[in-house]
Amino acid sequence: PGQGKEFQIKTKRYKEVPKDKFTNTERRYILESIKEKKVIIKNNLRGKIKSFLSVPIIFGNEVIGSIVLKNYNPNSYNEYTIKLLSNLSNFIAVAVKNAKLFEETEKLATTDALTGVLNRRTLEESFHKEVERTRRYLKPLSVIVIDVDDFKLFNDTYGHIFGDQVLKEIASLIKYSCRKVDIVGRYGGDEFTIILPETPLKGAVKVAERLLKNIRAKAILTPNNTQVPIRVSIGIASYPEDTNDPEKLLTLADTAMYKAKVSGGDSYAIISYEPPLSQEQPPKFDVFLGLINAIDNKDNYTFLHSQDVSKYAVKLGEKLGLSKEDLEILELAGKLHDIGKIGIPSEILKKPGPLNEEEWKIIKEHPRLSYLILNQIPRMEKLLQAVLYHHERYDGKGYPQNLQGKDIPILARILSVVDAYSAMRSDRPYRKAMSKKEIINEFKKNIGKQFDPEITQKFIELLEKGDIE
């Protein structure tokens, strides 16, 4: 004291009192000091250590650590030592809190608050650093861009809280699929980016395949307790395989991602590779079919009804001599024609009595909602038209656009007939199922009014022959 000596203090963070540094007795003293927020001093201990002192480090009302001194000599610590260390603990408390605050602030500045991966600014900074390193040391570099397929559908159907859950899950799966040296960030919205240092194209493809496998194996539990799959489109670009300028990798990977999305999603694409036409992937419908299961939780009738409509539509299409392609579209349209009911309140779908005028207005929106949901599927115009117009009437009094006669696409006219048949033969909250004779009479009564005459006559023939149950 009084000699002006300088000394340096080093701190180390522990989640608990380390067992290899202290005896059980010493650990008990430290824990008591922290718990009781008081100084513990022992000056005549048995064993090698004769003196022990623990001073809690307190900031505000929170204990954030402890200063511990041990000495081989007895009576080594006194009131002066306690006062000195107590003052020192106050300085340490402020310093540790400031360090933690700086660490948290830095993390907030660099991390995406929702997903915990890097934010866009930090991601771009990391990318530019890797580009410079690649140029300096002539090492390979790859970039992967990931976009969640049909993400708007998750938000529109289940709300933004569920959409946020999907993004968190995707971020977690991406990190799980990557190495520690890989840099993962959220580029914006539902788009993520992985920067793969010193990784050639072959290695990047392995990461993309591993990620797709992990994501396909994962289903998300919706607020309705229905499991729906997640699917993503992935774009890959690598230096030097795809470009002589590593600065272009982000843009090239983004372009490749759109190639994967246009081909139907749930796949990866490489910017320098154009697949042969014969290998073009068909559109993926499992997300949409998963939503049909979700609708079934709101209205148990819808799922079985959609399956029946699909089956009857194909039978009728075969009777009318449709092409194989149209039959495949018809089968899918039957399964998906009521997907828009996901946006209709359960109390309307399950109402035991007749709907009022306002409720009918809401119900009549479901073909348009179905169209909006399915409109993300490329090259499926016939499917979209069948779904959108299956409630039009032959006499022009249907909805949503009051189309008339042959202006209504033929697949929609077929769906109109089989949709009505499935409804008439089912028990509903407001009426019992109709007999086959009653159904045939109802069709005959509405030929040329609600239904296409030729299509309806062919369907009646199928009913009378027993080809449709």
Side-chain angles (χ1 to χ4, degrees), residues 30-40 56 58 63:
I30 295 168
L31 291 173
E32 182 185 350
S33 171
I34 291 171
K35 184 179 178 181
E36 301 296 330
K37 299 180 183 178
K38 67 179 184 181
V39 174
I40 300 292
I58 302 172
V63 179

Side-chain angles (χ1 to χ4, degrees), residues 303-343:
F303 180 76
L304 291 175
H305 166 72
S306 297
Q307 298 296 318
D308 286 345
V309 168
S310 177
K311 181 172 60 177
Y312 303 145
V314 171
K315 284 267 189 185
L316 182 52
E318 289 171 344
K319 179 80 172 174
L320 292 164
L322 296 188
S323 68
K324 182 183 176 183
E325 180 189 356
D326 282 348
L327 289 174
E328 288 174 353
I329 293 171
L330 199 53
E331 180 183 12
L332 197 54
K335 290 177 180 176
L336 298 173
H337 74 287
D338 275 343
I339 198 171
K341 285 186 177 178
I342 195 80

Side-chain angles (χ1 to χ4, degrees), residues 70-168:
K70 297 192 289 183
N71 201 299
Y72 294 115
N73 299 314
N75 301 309
S76 296
Y77 308 125
N78 53 33
E79 288 299 319
Y80 176 80
T81 317
I82 294 172
K83 185 177 179 182
L84 175 65
L85 291 188
S86 295
N87 288 334
L88 187 59
S89 76
N90 291 333
F91 287 112
I92 293 174
V94 173
V96 169
K97 269 296 179 180
N98 285 341
K100 287 175 75 175
L101 182 62
F102 177 78
E103 186 180 311
E104 289 168 7
T105 304
E106 189 176 40
K107 187 177 179 182
L108 285 173
T110 60
T111 306
D112 176 61
L114 176 65
T115 61
V117 298
L118 297 181
N119 59 27
R120 178 168 180 159
R121 181 181 62 80
T122 311
L123 183 71
E124 288 179 337
E125 288 175 357
S126 300
F127 173 66
H128 293 308
K129 286 178 184 176
E130 289 303 323
V131 166
E132 288 305 312
R133 204 164 69 88
T134 296
R135 285 173 172 156
R136 186 180 303 119
Y137 300 109
L138 300 177
K139 297 285 187 179
L141 178 65
S142 293
V143 171
I144 293 176
V145 171
I146 305 116
D147 189 85
V148 185
D149 294 336
D150 313 305
F151 181 67
K152 185 176 183 297
L153 186 58
F154 288 118
N155 271 340
D156 292 349
T157 304
Y158 300 111
H160 290 279
I161 293 176
F162 180 74
D164 287 349
Q165 183 188 339
V166 171
L167 292 176
K168 289 178 189 175

Side-chain angles (χ1 to χ4, degrees), residues 357-412:
E357 186 179 346
E358 192 59 37
E359 289 166 338
W360 263 117
K361 281 183 183 177
I362 295 171
I363 281 286
K364 286 180 179 181
E365 282 299 306
H366 85 267
R368 205 185 303 274
L369 288 172
S370 298
Y371 179 88
L372 290 172
I373 290 171
L374 298 171
N375 194 35
Q376 302 168 63
I377 305 174
R379 307 181 307 280
M380 294 302 286
E381 190 58 36
K382 283 187 177 181
L383 171 71
L384 295 172
Q385 288 183 356
V387 168
L388 180 60
Y389 299 127
H390 76 276
H391 277 296
E392 297 289 356
R393 289 172 54 106
Y394 201 76
D395 58 10
K397 296 178 181 178
Y399 61 89
Q401 293 188 10
N402 305 116
L403 297 184
Q404 187 172 1
K406 305 293 184 185
D407 289 340
I408 306 168
I410 185 170
L411 300 189

